[in-house]
Amino acid sequence: MERSYLSADQVAFFNANGYLIVENIITPEEVEHYKSIYNDFLSEKIDVGANRSDLGDGLGSSKTKENITQIMWPSDFVEELVHMPYHQRALAISRELIGEDSEMDFDMLINKAPYSNTITPWHQDEAYWLNVPDKRAASCWLALDEATLDNGCMWFVPGSNLKEVRPHRFAGKEGGALTCDATEDEGVYIELKPGSCTFHQGRTLHYSRGNSTGTNRRAFILNFRPAEMIRYERERGFDHGKNNAGDRKVKNDDFKS
Ligand SMILES: O=C(O)CCC(=O)C(=O)O
């Protein structure tokens, strides 16, 4: 019998609200290890080529530096990551949340550098994705630094997972981040200690403020969905930037505005 991480109440909360907080998915010692790997990506000691891009291009004020650093598929470059505690525990939790057929679809790093002051605009992940027949999905957002209102912790709109996907458009530059109409008044913000995380569904509306502090806001994100749906995506050439980095479009045409 596999270890269970969640109570029935936690699973019910995730289903009703579209997000869930899981504290201490990794220990303080593990946080330090992940931070050191993460810094090797940020400093380009690990070169990821076109898998690195500026999610805040056209949104933040910098023309010379990344406004929001996004690195797709870190586990393609540091293969042991998938066997390490974060990937393993998050996978087990995703199976409790969306079903035993859950597998990792992709992983990514999103860092907001000191004083980068760039929001991640309101969106629903489904608007970025292929319109797969089985919509079960869980994204795990792990804080490696304390995540606060001022450095860009996540905001979620409770219950948005149970409603429609809102019309999406490019928030800034063509080909850049997507957005839809939503406001902070609808949402709740989730501050996290390093080593704690949230899970959210593909349809849950979310956003984060810019980082107005003097330290990094490093997040390590894993996305899970049914194995059969990962196969469905790959058969159609959709791999979340593994082989087509920078190709950011409204993939789900139904939600174009
Ligand atoms: O880290 C952020 O600011 C946004 C993350 C996000 O949109 C996601 O994990 O789906």
Side-chain angles (χ1 to χ4, degrees), residues 128-146:
Y128 279 98
W129 298 339
L130 210 61
N131 193 2
V132 293
D134 181 342
K135 306 281 192 271
R136 287 177 291 144
S139 286
C140 182
W141 192 100
L142 169 69
L144 290 177
D145 301 290
E146 188 167 351

mmCIF file of all heavy atoms in Angstrom, residues 128-146:
data_model
loop_
_atom_site.group_PDB
_atom_site.id
_atom_site.type_symbol
_atom_site.label_atom_id
_atom_site.label_comp_id
_atom_site.label_asym_id
_atom_site.label_seq_id
_atom_site.Cartn_x
_atom_site.Cartn_y
_atom_site.Cartn_z
ATOM 1 N N TYR A 128 -3.472 27.645 -22.758
ATOM 2 C CA TYR A 128 -2.158 27.415 -23.375
ATOM 3 C C TYR A 128 -2.067 26.028 -24.015
ATOM 4 O O TYR A 128 -1.139 25.766 -24.767
ATOM 5 C CB TYR A 128 -1.059 27.462 -22.304
ATOM 6 C CG TYR A 128 -0.584 28.843 -21.888
ATOM 7 C CD1 TYR A 128 -1.074 29.455 -20.744
ATOM 8 C CD2 TYR A 128 0.404 29.508 -22.623
ATOM 9 C CE1 TYR A 128 -0.602 30.704 -20.340
ATOM 10 C CE2 TYR A 128 0.877 30.748 -22.224
ATOM 11 C CZ TYR A 128 0.372 31.344 -21.088
ATOM 12 O OH TYR A 128 0.840 32.564 -20.687
ATOM 13 N N TRP A 129 -2.959 25.138 -23.590
ATOM 14 C CA TRP A 129 -2.785 23.726 -23.923
ATOM 15 C C TRP A 129 -3.674 23.295 -25.076
ATOM 16 O O TRP A 129 -4.657 23.951 -25.408
ATOM 17 C CB TRP A 129 -3.117 22.853 -22.698
ATOM 18 C CG TRP A 129 -2.236 23.087 -21.506
ATOM 19 C CD1 TRP A 129 -0.985 23.647 -21.501
ATOM 20 C CD2 TRP A 129 -2.561 22.789 -20.139
ATOM 21 N NE1 TRP A 129 -0.511 23.693 -20.214
ATOM 22 C CE2 TRP A 129 -1.444 23.184 -19.365
ATOM 23 C CE3 TRP A 129 -3.656 22.217 -19.500
ATOM 24 C CZ2 TRP A 129 -1.408 23.025 -17.974
ATOM 25 C CZ3 TRP A 129 -3.637 22.052 -18.119
ATOM 26 C CH2 TRP A 129 -2.516 22.455 -17.376
ATOM 27 N N LEU A 130 -3.309 22.128 -25.595
ATOM 28 C CA LEU A 130 -4.153 21.471 -26.573
ATOM 29 C C LEU A 130 -5.502 21.138 -25.910
ATOM 30 O O LEU A 130 -5.532 20.834 -24.716
ATOM 31 C CB LEU A 130 -3.454 20.167 -26.961
ATOM 32 C CG LEU A 130 -3.661 19.612 -28.333
ATOM 33 C CD1 LEU A 130 -3.166 20.588 -29.400
ATOM 34 C CD2 LEU A 130 -2.890 18.288 -28.450
ATOM 35 N N ASN A 131 -6.576 21.164 -26.697
ATOM 36 C CA ASN A 131 -7.893 20.874 -26.136
ATOM 37 C C ASN A 131 -8.065 19.357 -26.011
ATOM 38 O O ASN A 131 -8.705 18.729 -26.838
ATOM 39 C CB ASN A 131 -8.965 21.500 -27.037
ATOM 40 C CG ASN A 131 -10.317 21.522 -26.373
ATOM 41 O OD1 ASN A 131 -10.463 21.112 -25.216
ATOM 42 N ND2 ASN A 131 -11.310 21.987 -27.095
ATOM 43 N N VAL A 132 -7.478 18.799 -24.935
ATOM 44 C CA VAL A 132 -7.493 17.339 -24.764
ATOM 45 C C VAL A 132 -8.859 16.879 -24.259
ATOM 46 O O VAL A 132 -9.543 17.635 -23.564
ATOM 47 C CB VAL A 132 -6.380 16.872 -23.783
ATOM 48 C CG1 VAL A 132 -5.008 17.105 -24.385
ATOM 49 C CG2 VAL A 132 -6.502 17.571 -22.440
ATOM 50 N N PRO A 133 -9.281 15.655 -24.614
ATOM 51 C CA PRO A 133 -10.619 15.208 -24.198
ATOM 52 C C PRO A 133 -10.761 15.019 -22.678
ATOM 53 O O PRO A 133 -11.838 15.246 -22.140
ATOM 54 C CB PRO A 133 -10.805 13.879 -24.940
ATOM 55 C CG PRO A 133 -9.507 13.545 -25.570
ATOM 56 C CD PRO A 133 -8.639 14.763 -25.591
ATOM 57 N N ASP A 134 -9.701 14.596 -22.025
ATOM 58 C CA ASP A 134 -9.767 14.379 -20.566
ATOM 59 C C ASP A 134 -9.011 15.528 -19.897
ATOM 60 O O ASP A 134 -7.792 15.643 -20.025
ATOM 61 C CB ASP A 134 -9.112 13.019 -20.245
ATOM 62 C CG ASP A 134 -9.159 12.685 -18.758
ATOM 63 O OD1 ASP A 134 -9.375 13.600 -17.937
ATOM 64 O OD2 ASP A 134 -8.950 11.504 -18.421
ATOM 65 N N LYS A 135 -9.761 16.395 -19.206
ATOM 66 C CA LYS A 135 -9.205 17.667 -18.706
ATOM 67 C C LYS A 135 -8.521 17.547 -17.343
ATOM 68 O O LYS A 135 -8.046 18.556 -16.813
ATOM 69 C CB LYS A 135 -10.318 18.724 -18.591
ATOM 70 C CG LYS A 135 -11.116 18.956 -19.848
ATOM 71 C CD LYS A 135 -10.356 19.852 -20.815
ATOM 72 C CE LYS A 135 -11.211 20.346 -21.954
ATOM 73 N NZ LYS A 135 -11.246 19.471 -23.126
ATOM 74 N N ARG A 136 -8.481 16.356 -16.763
ATOM 75 C CA ARG A 136 -7.843 16.257 -15.440
ATOM 76 C C ARG A 136 -6.389 16.714 -15.517
ATOM 77 O O ARG A 136 -5.639 16.251 -16.381
ATOM 78 C CB ARG A 136 -7.889 14.814 -14.929
ATOM 79 C CG ARG A 136 -9.255 14.348 -14.475
ATOM 80 C CD ARG A 136 -9.218 12.899 -14.057
ATOM 81 N NE ARG A 136 -8.998 12.018 -15.191
ATOM 82 C CZ ARG A 136 -8.279 10.894 -15.161
ATOM 83 N NH1 ARG A 136 -7.690 10.505 -14.044
ATOM 84 N NH2 ARG A 136 -8.156 10.152 -16.230
ATOM 85 N N ALA A 137 -6.007 17.624 -14.626
ATOM 86 C CA ALA A 137 -4.615 18.095 -14.603
ATOM 87 C C ALA A 137 -4.329 18.722 -13.248
ATOM 88 O O ALA A 137 -5.230 19.278 -12.603
ATOM 89 C CB ALA A 137 -4.372 19.120 -15.704
ATOM 90 N N ALA A 138 -3.072 18.622 -12.816
ATOM 91 C CA ALA A 138 -2.654 19.259 -11.565
ATOM 92 C C ALA A 138 -1.259 19.823 -11.767
ATOM 93 O O ALA A 138 -0.355 19.116 -12.221
ATOM 94 C CB ALA A 138 -2.652 18.240 -10.426
ATOM 95 N N SER A 139 -1.111 21.125 -11.471
ATOM 96 C CA SER A 139 0.211 21.762 -11.532
ATOM 97 C C SER A 139 0.663 22.037 -10.112
ATOM 98 O O SER A 139 -0.085 22.613 -9.321
ATOM 99 C CB SER A 139 0.135 23.096 -12.270
ATOM 100 O OG SER A 139 -0.018 22.889 -13.639
ATOM 101 N N CYS A 140 1.890 21.656 -9.834
ATOM 102 C CA CYS A 140 2.445 21.889 -8.505
ATOM 103 C C CYS A 140 3.421 23.054 -8.580
ATOM 104 O O CYS A 140 4.336 23.044 -9.406
ATOM 105 C CB CYS A 140 3.164 20.620 -8.036
ATOM 106 S SG CYS A 140 3.823 20.802 -6.373
ATOM 107 N N TRP A 141 3.211 24.056 -7.745
ATOM 108 C CA TRP A 141 4.030 25.285 -7.735
ATOM 109 C C TRP A 141 4.783 25.319 -6.406
ATOM 110 O O TRP A 141 4.203 25.589 -5.362
ATOM 111 C CB TRP A 141 3.108 26.489 -7.883
ATOM 112 C CG TRP A 141 3.743 27.821 -8.179
ATOM 113 C CD1 TRP A 141 3.837 28.422 -9.394
ATOM 114 C CD2 TRP A 141 4.322 28.747 -7.238
ATOM 115 N NE1 TRP A 141 4.454 29.648 -9.264
ATOM 116 C CE2 TRP A 141 4.754 29.870 -7.965
ATOM 117 C CE3 TRP A 141 4.518 28.728 -5.854
ATOM 118 C CZ2 TRP A 141 5.372 30.975 -7.360
ATOM 119 C CZ3 TRP A 141 5.137 29.818 -5.251
ATOM 120 C CH2 TRP A 141 5.559 30.924 -5.999
ATOM 121 N N LEU A 142 6.072 24.995 -6.473
ATOM 122 C CA LEU A 142 6.895 24.903 -5.256
ATOM 123 C C LEU A 142 7.691 26.185 -5.054
ATOM 124 O O LEU A 142 8.398 26.641 -5.968
ATOM 125 C CB LEU A 142 7.866 23.721 -5.397
ATOM 126 C CG LEU A 142 8.986 23.629 -4.354
ATOM 127 C CD1 LEU A 142 8.437 23.277 -2.977
ATOM 128 C CD2 LEU A 142 10.039 22.600 -4.783
ATOM 129 N N ALA A 143 7.584 26.747 -3.846
ATOM 130 C CA ALA A 143 8.374 27.936 -3.494
ATOM 131 C C ALA A 143 9.734 27.503 -2.967
ATOM 132 O O ALA A 143 9.807 26.716 -2.023
ATOM 133 C CB ALA A 143 7.633 28.735 -2.416
ATOM 134 N N LEU A 144 10.803 28.005 -3.585
ATOM 135 C CA LEU A 144 12.138 27.753 -3.036
ATOM 136 C C LEU A 144 12.592 28.938 -2.179
ATOM 137 O O LEU A 144 13.485 28.811 -1.354
ATOM 138 C CB LEU A 144 13.145 27.466 -4.151
ATOM 139 C CG LEU A 144 12.923 26.117 -4.843
ATOM 140 C CD1 LEU A 144 13.897 25.912 -5.988
ATOM 141 C CD2 LEU A 144 13.031 24.958 -3.849
ATOM 142 N N ASP A 145 11.976 30.103 -2.434
ATOM 143 C CA ASP A 145 12.143 31.265 -1.548
ATOM 144 C C ASP A 145 10.797 31.482 -0.885
ATOM 145 O O ASP A 145 9.778 31.015 -1.397
ATOM 146 C CB ASP A 145 12.496 32.508 -2.378
ATOM 147 C CG ASP A 145 13.766 32.293 -3.175
ATOM 148 O OD1 ASP A 145 14.841 32.224 -2.559
ATOM 149 O OD2 ASP A 145 13.672 32.160 -4.416
ATOM 150 N N GLU A 146 10.790 32.201 0.232
ATOM 151 C CA GLU A 146 9.489 32.535 0.804
ATOM 152 C C GLU A 146 8.698 33.283 -0.281
ATOM 153 O O GLU A 146 9.234 34.188 -0.915
ATOM 154 C CB GLU A 146 9.690 33.419 2.038
ATOM 155 C CG GLU A 146 8.410 33.625 2.769
ATOM 156 C CD GLU A 146 8.620 34.226 4.149
ATOM 157 O OE1 GLU A 146 9.775 34.335 4.607
ATOM 158 O OE2 GLU A 146 7.603 34.590 4.746
#
